[in-house]
């Protein structure tokens, strides 16, 4: 699995502490919406500004693979520290929740819950699933090309290796002519429009399985 960039969203400071340890032990990078409580500026009203205001940089300005929302209680209304869920959804980033679905105000926008699978497995699965529309679009768009080669479009598969803004897309399947393989790789770049995320560098290759 690629190293993931995970945006941590906490209903309250410390809610995601255990999740951070698990993700970092698995080799993933964790980013936060808010500075640590001791370092963050707190408004007299209790409002805490996010890092986009305190540091001038939002983690979503760079590559984020998945957002992790850690909620340790049952609260039917979003808290002020959970505003990043809105930002993540608008940016097209899948949201994983480590918390129950009872009275969950974010239920409609949650891609996965940790449940019994664990936070690392849930985040990795959500990141993979976020790229699934690319393969579906590629198979549809290249159906005629592939069938002309005697290949069922469903026989073509893809794996995605992401490192921040660099994507390596490995296509694989039955033997293709060099011309068809090149065309498939070219159209794979167009298929990336199926997801809202953008990459500064994309490398695509095809191998026979």
């Amino acid at each position: 699995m690629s190293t993931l960039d995970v945006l941590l969203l906490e209903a309250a400071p410390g809610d995601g502490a255990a999740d951070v340890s698990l993700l970092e032990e698995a080799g993933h990078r964790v980013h936060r919406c808010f500075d640590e409580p001791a370092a963050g500026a707190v408004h007299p009203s209790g409002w805490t500004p996010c890092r986009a205001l305190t540091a001038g940089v939002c983690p979503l300005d760079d590559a984020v693979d998945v957002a992790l929302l850690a909620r340790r209680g049952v609260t039917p209304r979003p808290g002020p520290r959970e505003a990043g869920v809105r930002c993540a959804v608008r940016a097209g980033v899948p949201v994983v929740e480590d918390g129950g679905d009872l009275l969950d105000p974010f239920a409609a926008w949650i891609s996965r819950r940790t449940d019994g699978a664990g936070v690392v497995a849930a985040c990795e699965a959500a990141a993979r699933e976020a790229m699934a529309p690319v393969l579906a679009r590629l198979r549809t768009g290249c159906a005629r090309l592939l069938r002309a080669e005697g290949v069922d479009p469903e026989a073509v598969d893809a794996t995605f290796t992401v490192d921040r803004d660099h994507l390596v897309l490995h296509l694989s399947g039955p033997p293709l002519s060099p011309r068809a393989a090149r065309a498939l790789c070219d159209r794979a770049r167009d298929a990336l429009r199926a997801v809202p995320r953008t990459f500064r560098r994309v490398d695509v290759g095809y191998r026979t399985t």
Side-chain angles (χ1 to χ4, degrees):
M1 181 66 196
S2 307
T3 296
L4 298 181
D5 284 283
V6 181
L7 175 61
L8 177 65
L9 309 168
E10 298 175 295
D15 276 1
D19 293 338
V20 170
S21 297
L22 292 171
L23 287 165
E24 291 182 340
E25 286 174 7
H28 301 309
R29 294 179 287 255
V30 178
H31 310 273
R32 296 174 180 271
C33 276
F34 295 89
D35 294 319
E36 292 295 333
V42 179
H43 191 274
S45 67
W47 174 67
T48 302
C50 67
R51 298 199 75 251
L53 299 179
T54 61
V57 178
C58 171
L60 290 169
D61 293 339
D62 294 317
V64 169
D65 299 291
V66 61
L68 173 63
L69 173 61
R71 307 188 97 217
R72 293 291 170 253
V74 177
T75 53
R77 294 183 179 180
R81 294 179 64 91
E82 297 173 301
V85 174
R86 180 190 304 117
C87 303
V89 171
R90 291 192 64 190
V93 174
V95 181
V96 172
E97 183 170 336
D98 185 6
D101 60 358
L102 180 62
L103 301 179
D104 182 6
F106 301 108
W109 297 277
I110 299 301
S111 300
R112 270 185 171 267
R113 294 186 185 276
T114 57
D115 295 328
V119 64
V120 174
C123 287
E124 291 177 347
R128 284 194 301 269
E129 291 164 357
M131 300 301 291
V134 176
L135 179 57
R137 179 169 176 165
L138 179 63
R139 285 170 171 167
T140 300
C142 293
R144 178 180 293 183
L145 168 71
L146 292 169
R147 291 193 176 108
E149 294 273 318
V151 172
D152 181 350
E154 294 299 317
V156 172
D157 204 353
T159 58
F160 303 86
T161 303
V162 178
D163 185 7
R164 298 188 187 276
D165 58 1
H166 179 201
L167 169 66
V168 179
L169 175 50
H170 298 279
L171 302 175
S172 60
L176 294 175
S177 67
R179 178 194 64 81
R182 286 194 300 270
L184 187 67
C185 290
D186 288 341
R187 295 186 188 182
R189 297 174 186 275
D190 292 334
L192 286 170
R193 296 175 184 172
V195 295
R197 182 170 176 179
T198 59
F199 300 92
R200 290 190 177 89
R201 179 181 171 187
V202 177
D203 296 321
V204 187
Y206 184 86
R207 66 182 179 87
T208 301
T209 54

